[in-house]
Amino acid sequence: MINFTVGPVQSSDAVRAIGAEQVPYFRTPEFSEVMLENERLVLSFAQAPAGSRAVFLTGSGTAAMEAAVMNLLTQADKAIVINGGSFGHRFAELLGIHRIPYDEIRLEPGRTLRPGQLDSYAGKGYTSLLVNVGETSTGVLYDMGMIAGFCRREGMFLIADAISTFLADEFDMAALGAGAMLTGSQKALACPPGVSVVALSPEGVARAMSAPRKCMYLDLRDALVNGERGQTPFTPAVGTLRQINTRLREIEAAGGAPSERARIAAIAADFRSKIKELPFAIFSDRLSNAVTPLRPLTAPAYDIFTTLKDEYGIWVCPNGGELRDTVFRVGHIGALTTADNDALIAAFNDMRRRGLI
């Protein structure tokens, strides 16, 4: 099996070896050292400003999204959410559930945000903005410089979901002035799913520490206090956190976040260069290195996903809802190589010879 999805993705041998070990007890100095190193490396790779903190939640990326909404915003806020697909819609749902006043900028699937679409919201009392840096469902990468500039001018708190783009695309938390950055273990960190990360700027830390408590399990203040000693409030996904440590150290040894971004960018560029003669159109107008969204011209997208899975042992990402039969996605994160790209291209060419695409 070759996995070209955008999570869970293929892991390195070293990461998989940790997963085969017995899970150790975690209320120990040794585990605290692992967690403190995890925090240090995540903040370094995110280019977080001095005084930032990162907490690790046992839950998928949606746990980080909900924790950010619950702990960093209140009913006194007035938020803007960029809704360009399934995950932008998820932010909107979370704001509604937690009764945070908001307006959403709805985008056509596959289309990025344009400056004028933000400018009309200027000077209207908005306090925060929530955006999926890469809208994973459509493969769109938003212009974070433009968005951050708007937030800076308006004095808004920026919550950036970088779950699918962290380590795949440039993200400078300090330069952007982001108050919170979210990511997850199963994307470019290339570990099993089940852990999400919330990186907080000093302003984000202050918001979390002063927020009224709304729940127990996703309380960021409790997580921050426990994190000072390298621990978590409750039993975490110990094995996965150890795998994250191995993976972060791998990335550091290979040259850090810039080297990892370059590696993923090269895999993406190689794939995109090899599909030019195939009956596919690029779906999105601004691409992340993490994923290539494709609109097949001759066959339903979901049928292509199913055939690759069942007959070739290759996984790509299907879509649901209105994009089910019009778009599938090919991921470039995780332990992939250009030889893997060649195998997928060979499968596409064979499907074309068989009249399946």
Side-chain angles (χ1 to χ4, degrees), residues 17-296:
I18 294 291
E21 294 180 2
Q22 294 285 0
V23 176
Y25 184 62
F26 65 102
R27 300 296 191 200
T28 62
E30 292 80 7
F31 186 71
S32 291
E33 289 178 8
V34 166
M35 291 300 293
L36 291 169
E37 185 173 46
N38 285 352
E39 181 177 15
R40 175 183 68 81
L41 289 171
V42 164
L43 293 174
S44 172
F45 295 165
Q47 301 179 80
S52 296
R53 295 286 309 282
V55 299
F56 296 79
L57 306 173
T58 297
S60 69
T62 303
M65 294 172 73
E66 185 153 27
V69 169
M70 280 196 303
N71 290 271
L72 304 177
L73 302 176
T74 71
Q75 292 181 18
D77 279 289
K78 183 181 177 185
I80 297 171
V81 61
I82 311 301
N83 182 355
S86 300
F87 295 95
H89 177 69
R90 188 166 301 177
F91 259 144
E93 285 187 296
L94 287 166
L95 289 164
I97 288 168
H98 294 285
R99 300 181 181 179
I100 310 297
Y102 75 96
D103 287 305
E104 57 186 309
I105 301 176
R106 293 195 179 190
L107 304 174
E108 182 183 346
R111 295 295 159 284
T112 193
L113 184 72
R114 305 298 179 189
Q117 293 170 289
L118 279 175
D119 292 345
S120 62
Y121 289 82
K124 296 184 178 178
Y126 290 97
T127 63
S128 53
L129 187 145
L130 298 88
V131 61
N132 316 93
V133 177
E135 173 51 68
T136 316
S137 66
T138 63
V140 171
L141 179 71
Y142 293 121
D143 183 342
M144 288 305 298
M146 177 189 72
I147 291 170
F150 174 80
C151 289
R152 193 176 297 110
R153 292 190 299 273
E154 296 294 312
M156 297 170 67
F157 185 77
L158 174 59
I159 297 175
D161 157 20
I163 290 171
S164 66
T165 58
F166 178 59
L167 297 172
D169 298 291
E170 173 68 29
F171 189 90
D172 187 328
M173 192 172 172
L176 293 171
M181 184 210 76
L182 320 178
T183 193
S185 57
Q186 79 277 23
K187 303 293 186 179
L189 281 174
C191 292
V195 171
S196 57
V197 185
V198 181
L200 298 168
S201 71
E203 182 185 357
V205 171
R207 281 186 174 236
M209 294 301 289
S210 63
R213 198 175 196 195
K214 297 179 181 178
C215 79
M216 179 180 288
Y217 194 70
L218 295 180
D219 183 68
L220 291 184
R221 177 171 50 187
D222 202 3
L224 286 164
V225 170
N226 278 271
E228 291 175 2
R229 60 190 179 94
Q231 287 290 330
T232 57
F234 313 105
T235 303
V238 176
T240 303
L241 288 164
R242 293 179 67 233
Q243 289 175 297
I244 288 172
N245 183 253
T246 294
R247 174 70 174 135
L248 290 170
R249 293 171 69 183
E250 279 184 344
I251 294 168
E252 184 181 44
S259 177
E260 181 64 10
R261 285 195 298 271
R263 187 191 69 81
I264 293 170
I267 296 289
D270 176 77
F271 174 76
R272 291 165 188 169
S273 73
K274 291 172 177 173
I275 59 169
K276 292 180 179 178
E277 303 305 317
L278 290 166
F280 304 135
I282 299 288
F283 181 69
S284 298
D285 59 6
R286 195 170 189 272
L287 292 171
S288 164
N289 292 323
V291 60
T292 301
L294 294 173
R295 179 172 61 85

